[in-house]
Amino acid sequence: MRVAPTYLYDPITTSSTTTSSPTPTAWYSILGVSVSITSNVAEALQRVDETYAAFRAPASAAPHETIALHLVRLNNQDYLVSSPTDERRWPTYDHALPDLFDRLVHALLERLLARGIYAIHAGAVVHQDGALVLAGRSGHGKTTLVLGLLRRGLGLLSDEFAVVEPAARRIMPYRRSLHIRPGTPELIPELHFLHNRPRHRLGGGFEWTLTPHELERAMPGCLGQSAPLCHVLLLEGTPQTNARPAITRVPAALAAMELLRGTWAASVNFEGGLDRISRLLDGVRCARLRIGALDATVQQVASWLEQPHD
Amino acid sequence: MESEIPIRSADVTLQRVGSEAILYDRRRGLAHVINESAARIWELCDGRATQEQIAGAFAASYDLPATAVRDDVAKILAAFQELQVLDHEADAPDSTE
């Protein structure tokens, strides 16, 4: 049974002038951005904490710079989710929790963009000191492929966002926990232990959460460090386990367009995003990947990575 | 046709990406991937050069006679017209004026 971390109950940050119990608040520092989650729903705090465990932090010394998010169960049993910009009422917890996660992500992306940091919706791994970005839509096998590559000895940067260091062309680690879907543990033997855990409704359905610490225990040495971007693979469609995997070179300009689709910052300023992504891809090898059976696909990717650049 | 002066639309910008480029039309919210040759021709559409002059300059950059590229240049400019990324000035003034 899991116990809520005691750090959640910080009397300094939740002191109240009323006699009612303070509402618990959890604090995180995500790539230097302070985030607080306040909720009277213990399970909500647990779910968020599992996902952002690597970013736990003490209460911020600059609360006015903190992204403050709330999920509160109201007396009439509705749920109110609020962020610095607005709030929304939901009839069920299952609606409220994804909204909380979405608000956290969007607020984080906005704050990162203000600091010049781009986050591309993509997985990222390190191969021989060079970063490989794997771009594809949700549900198209990014996380499973990332895990397959980790088994091959590549290093994890992220399975959700490829975070680009400002003024450099390096991809930074983004240690958000992985959300693992049913079917993946069957393909990754190191993760069979997940079958002994409950799944929870998260952004992509009923999923397991796997913290970086747990992943490192399952696959020692799998956490990578920041690396310059050297390769981009665009994942084509959903995995076709009966099809042969195939890698087809694409022009960097096409890859730029695909990456822009997965970059929130480009929706705010397309030309700025186009400029940033274009410069990022200068000299980077780009290709499209049709995913087949996992092992064959990992082999195909590994062989492609070993080929010298043109 | 060859005396027309194609001019880049003020709403369209060119972004080089490796050996290709992207034309971004901010008015229509469209982006077009084009190859190196098309990017070069785009850059030659400076609002002063006629189509014939563009073909000449483009050919010179590849050390070719203008006749060798005239048709290709015309096709690319026609494609730009179809994409609505060009404006057209009035024909170039007659040299006898």
Side-chain angles (χ1 to χ4, degrees):
Chain A
M1 184 183 73
R2 293 201 175 161
V3 177
T6 55
Y7 76 93
L8 290 175
Y9 293 86
D10 184 343
I12 298 173
T13 61
T14 60
S15 59
S16 169
T17 56
T18 68
T19 56
S20 60
S21 302
T23 307
T25 295
W27 294 84
Y28 304 91
S29 177
I30 307 174
L31 300 175
V33 176
S34 175
V35 175
S36 71
I37 309 291
T38 302
S39 181
N40 60 358
V41 181
E43 184 178 337
L45 290 171
Q46 186 78 40
R47 296 291 83 78
V48 172
D49 190 66
E50 286 166 353
T51 294
Y52 293 99
F55 303 109
R56 290 174 186 157
S60 171
H64 58 283
E65 293 178 358
T66 297
I67 298 171
L69 301 164
H70 298 77
L71 187 156
V72 177
R73 181 167 50 216
L74 303 174
N75 289 338
N76 63 354
Q77 303 307 306
D78 279 357
Y79 294 83
L80 184 68
V81 180
S82 60
S83 61
T85 52
D86 70 336
E87 62 183 34
R88 184 163 177 177
R89 210 175 265 240
W90 296 97
T92 70
Y93 168 73
D94 282 348
H95 289 98
L97 184 65
D99 184 27
L100 179 68
F101 274 114
D102 281 346
R103 286 170 187 269
L104 193 163
V105 169
H106 281 102
L108 175 64
L109 293 178
E110 193 172 16
R111 196 66 69 86
L112 291 176
L113 179 61
R115 291 165 48 197
I117 297 175
Y118 266 54
I120 303 167
H121 180 64
V125 293
V126 181
H127 168 76
Q128 292 179 1
D129 300 325
L132 160 66
V133 162
L134 299 152
R137 297 187 180 196
S138 296
H140 280 202
K142 272 195 311 298
T143 298
T144 306
L145 179 57
V146 164
L147 289 165
L149 291 169
L150 299 190
R151 298 187 75 225
R152 188 64 180 234
L154 280 71
L156 175 70
L157 293 174
S158 174
D159 81 316
E160 191 199 17
F161 284 117
V163 181
V164 185
E165 245 179 90
R169 286 164 49 191
R170 300 179 73 86
I171 310 299
M172 298 192 281
Y174 175 57
R175 304 273 191 234
R176 194 207 74 158
S177 300
L178 278 65
H179 289 173
I180 310 289
R181 297 183 184 193
T184 297
E186 284 79 353
L187 299 172
I188 309 292
E190 292 84 349
L191 301 186
H192 283 174
F193 68 91
L194 289 175
H195 286 300
N196 299 325
R197 287 191 187 176
R199 285 181 283 138
H200 298 283
R201 184 189 286 275
L202 300 169
F206 279 93
E207 301 172 309
W208 292 282
T209 304
L210 187 67
T211 68
H213 176 68
E214 291 168 327
L215 183 61
E216 172 74 19
R217 269 211 317 249
M219 299 190 204
C222 75
L223 299 182
Q225 299 304 318
S226 77
L229 179 61
C230 293
H231 319 273
V232 170
L233 280 175
L234 309 174
L235 307 191
E236 183 179 75
T238 53
Q240 304 293 323
T241 52
N242 294 328
R244 279 184 63 185
I247 295 180
T248 313
R249 185 177 175 176
V250 298
L254 263 177
M257 294 301 299
E258 295 272 343
L259 294 184
L260 279 166
R261 283 199 192 95
T263 304
W264 173 83
S267 67
V268 175
N269 177 359
F270 184 85
E271 279 182 89
L274 179 57
D275 180 61
R276 281 291 297 269
I277 299 293
S278 299
R279 285 189 282 117
L280 180 69
L281 294 184
D282 188 27
V284 172
R285 190 159 57 141
C286 303
R288 201 176 293 283
L289 168 66
R290 183 180 67 207
I291 300 180
L294 180 62
D295 287 346
T297 301
V298 167
Q299 175 61 44
Q300 185 88 345
V301 173
S303 300
W304 179 72
L305 290 172
E306 292 294 332
Q307 292 168 8
H309 270 226
D310 294 336
Chain B
M1 182 80 81
E2 290 186 340
S3 62
E4 285 185 350
I5 301 176
I7 182 169
R8 300 186 288 264
S9 168
D11 294 317
V12 180
T13 52
L14 178 82
Q15 176 72 52
R16 292 257 183 200
V17 190
S19 58
E20 293 85 26
I22 295 172
L23 283 179
Y24 174 55
D25 183 347
R26 69 177 73 85
R27 185 157 54 112
R28 292 182 181 81
L30 297 175
H32 313 285
V33 175
I34 62 175
N35 62 19
E36 167 64 32
S37 298
R40 179 74 188 115
I41 292 169
W42 172 263
E43 287 167 337
L44 290 170
C45 296
D46 58 6
R48 294 189 298 272
T50 64
Q51 181 172 320
E52 187 171 347
Q53 290 167 333
I54 289 170
F58 179 72
S61 61
Y62 291 97
D63 206 19
L64 292 169
T67 49
V69 304
R70 191 174 291 142
D71 287 347
D72 289 335
V73 170
K75 279 182 191 165
I76 289 172
L77 289 174
F80 285 161
Q81 273 293 89
E82 199 168 320
L83 293 175
Q84 299 182 64
V85 296
L86 284 181
D87 295 330
H88 266 275
E89 293 285 342
D91 289 0
D94 192 311
S95 60
T96 62
E97 289 181 352

